[in-house]
Amino acid sequence: MGPPDRRATGIRIAYIMSRFPKISETFVLYEMKVLEDMGAQVEVFPLLRQPPGTRHPEAVHYEGRAHFIPFLSWEIIQANLRLFVREPRTYLGAWWEALTGTFGSARFFLGAFAYFPKCVAFAGRMRSIGVDHIHAHFANHPALAAMMVHRLTGIPYSFTAHGSDLHVERRMLAEKVSAASFVATVSAYNRELMAEECDEGDRDKIVVIHCGTDPTQFAGRADSAPSIARAREGGETLRIACVASLEEVKGHSFLLHACRLLVDRGIDVHCDLVGSGPLRRRLERLAAEHNLAGRVKFHGALPRPAVGRVLADADVLVLASYPTPSGKREGIPVAIMEAMMSGLPVVASGLSGIPELVEHGRTGFLVPPGDPWALADGLERLACDPGLRIRLGAAGRARVASEFDLRRGAQLLLREMEGARDRA
């Protein structure tokens, strides 16, 4: 008996991501939730299980029913032996494609070698539960895993390309796009980058679908937020929020330098850093070196309700991203969208897809990456002009509501997936 026909009950989608549930990847979690609200059935197939730690409340539901498979298990052994015996050409062909395509990159080659047996087990489960479409988030390992399951099963697949997954190394990108039913990416900047890498005939497969935010989670906060009350009263302390993983690409060191410059200019600042990551101790030492004790608070990773409270207390959001020597770059950070929906002006680096979200002088200020003096200048303008903070924040909220709504992006994605299913 073949897999059940899901056309009458809603498309069944298998989501592949590197780790789940990862606190910083809210765009994956809430996209799945909205798709299910629209009638789709979502199955979660993570490559790795995220270690215990802070979780978003909505993640618990998916974590409890996610298809976590270890690197070695009796299921994996059986699935690989069964497929090798029944379809040796398909099995060996997919192995060969994965290994030869990633040869030359230690990171990708080892990833392909480690994940391929698990992909075979994924393929078996997806067939048995009647998956109609596979969607991966990130153009690196998850997209390759989706492509391998597609080779083994024929189930159509797609993937979303974001930031560093696309900018650091584009191993097998052309092959992944060619084999996919469609490819989504978060910015026009990314689309052009991908189109240059791929065959001309595949250009039309690449569509811009913005990650977005849920207006119901942030709309209405701004008018009653303490930040707006302070702006109207001309409060003396500028409260800065930065919601970002503590990684080099996020540019926290430039923000801390800018805070020091503002204090030297006589501006009282308080900076809330939300996020976890490998640079926490280094950044804590840097804050101490800049004599910012009592002015900078490291919150660690927080679930979305707590992030909302930090944004409600802030006057401005800062994201001082910059390209790292290894090639990491931003996509369009959802943290900026959430801040704009909360009615906050934004000061951010003008690189990658960020200028497609933040309009300089209208919803915030764009500054050169790696320039703490320009960052401090933008923040000083906002500190000295409460009315400007209110105007930029209101314009930002309107822009996100009209162009970066989570439901609108999910509707576009679902339409593409249903089209791929119907063509299969």
Side-chain angles (χ1 to χ4, degrees), residues 215-281:
T216 65
Q217 296 297 316
F218 298 95
R221 294 182 187 273
D223 290 337
S224 60
S227 61
I228 301 302
R230 282 198 307 275
R232 288 172 176 152
E233 295 167 4
E236 296 180 356
T237 299
L238 182 72
R239 295 191 67 96
I240 300 168
C242 177
V243 182
S245 300
L246 303 183
E247 302 176 43
E248 187 179 13
V249 70
K250 299 298 184 178
H252 291 87
S253 59
F254 303 113
L255 171 56
L256 293 176
H257 188 176
C259 287
R260 180 67 255 171
L261 293 172
L262 289 171
V263 172
D264 291 343
R265 296 175 188 181
I267 297 171
D268 188 25
V269 298
H270 179 89
C271 185
D272 289 296
L273 301 182
V274 177
S276 60
L279 298 187
R280 175 158 181 165
R281 290 186 178 180

Side-chain angles (χ1 to χ4, degrees), residues 286-297:
L286 185 60
E289 291 170 7
H290 283 307
N291 295 317
L292 295 172
R295 296 183 183 275
V296 177
K297 182 175 181 179

Side-chain angles (χ1 to χ4, degrees), residues 53-342:
T54 305
R55 303 291 201 248
H56 294 293
E58 298 87 346
V60 176
H61 164 69
Y62 292 100
E63 188 175 15
R65 60 183 179 91
H67 297 266
F68 293 110
I69 299 179
F71 281 103
L72 183 62
S73 67
W74 182 236
E75 179 186 4
I76 285 183
I77 294 171
Q78 284 185 309
N80 280 262
L81 287 174
R82 185 184 305 115
L83 188 61
F84 174 70
V85 171
R86 293 179 179 176
E87 302 177 55
R89 186 185 296 264
T90 299
Y91 180 81
L92 294 175
W95 251 122
W96 179 256
E97 182 178 17
L99 296 180
T100 58
T102 57
F103 186 77
S105 167
R107 184 170 69 93
F108 273 89
F109 183 81
L110 291 174
F113 189 84
Y115 291 129
F116 184 84
K118 185 179 293 195
C119 290
V120 178
F122 281 175
R125 286 199 187 186
M126 289 183 196
R127 272 177 166 164
S128 68
I129 63 178
V131 165
D132 297 305
H133 188 87
I134 305 163
H135 187 72
H137 267 279
F138 301 106
N140 42 28
H141 300 305
L144 179 60
M147 179 180 172
M148 289 300 99
V149 177
H150 165 70
R151 295 296 197 213
L152 298 173
T153 63
I155 300 171
Y157 84 99
S158 55
F159 64 92
T160 297
H162 291 269
S164 296
D165 60 308
L166 183 63
H167 302 137
V168 174
E169 186 175 3
R170 292 183 282 277
R171 182 71 53 166
M172 291 186 75
L173 178 63
E175 291 87 345
K176 293 169 188 172
V177 173
S178 179
S181 297
F182 72 94
V183 176
T185 191
V186 299
S187 68
Y189 174 90
N190 280 359
R191 184 180 187 275
E192 289 307 308
L193 190 71
M194 296 174 74
E196 291 174 4
E197 188 88 6
C198 300
D199 294 338
E200 184 63 31
D202 290 329
R203 172 182 283 268
D204 291 341
K205 283 187 176 183
I206 308 169
V207 295
V208 176
I209 299 180
H210 293 134
C211 287
T213 188
D214 185 351
T216 65
Q217 296 297 316
F218 298 95
R221 294 182 187 273
D223 290 337
S224 60
S227 61
I228 301 302
R230 282 198 307 275
R232 288 172 176 152
E233 295 167 4
E236 296 180 356
T237 299
L238 182 72
R239 295 191 67 96
I240 300 168
C242 177
V243 182
S245 300
L246 303 183
E247 302 176 43
E248 187 179 13
V249 70
K250 299 298 184 178
H252 291 87
S253 59
F254 303 113
L255 171 56
L256 293 176
H257 188 176
C259 287
R260 180 67 255 171
L261 293 172
L262 289 171
V263 172
D264 291 343
R265 296 175 188 181
I267 297 171
D268 188 25
V269 298
H270 179 89
C271 185
D272 289 296
L273 301 182
V274 177
S276 60
L279 298 187
R280 175 158 181 165
R281 290 186 178 180
R282 185 190 305 178
L283 293 171
E284 287 174 335
R285 289 195 299 269
L286 185 60
E289 291 170 7
H290 283 307
N291 295 317
L292 295 172
R295 296 183 183 275
V296 177
K297 182 175 181 179
F298 290 83
H299 291 266
L302 296 176
R304 186 166 67 168
V307 172
R309 290 191 289 272
V310 171
L311 295 177
D313 285 338
D315 297 309
V316 57
L317 180 104
V318 174
L319 198 57
S321 312
Y322 84 113
T324 70
S326 66
K328 285 189 174 183
R329 299 174 72 93
E330 288 283 14
I332 301 185
V334 174
I336 296 181
M337 301 174 199
E338 293 177 347
M340 292 170 69
M341 185 57 73
S342 299

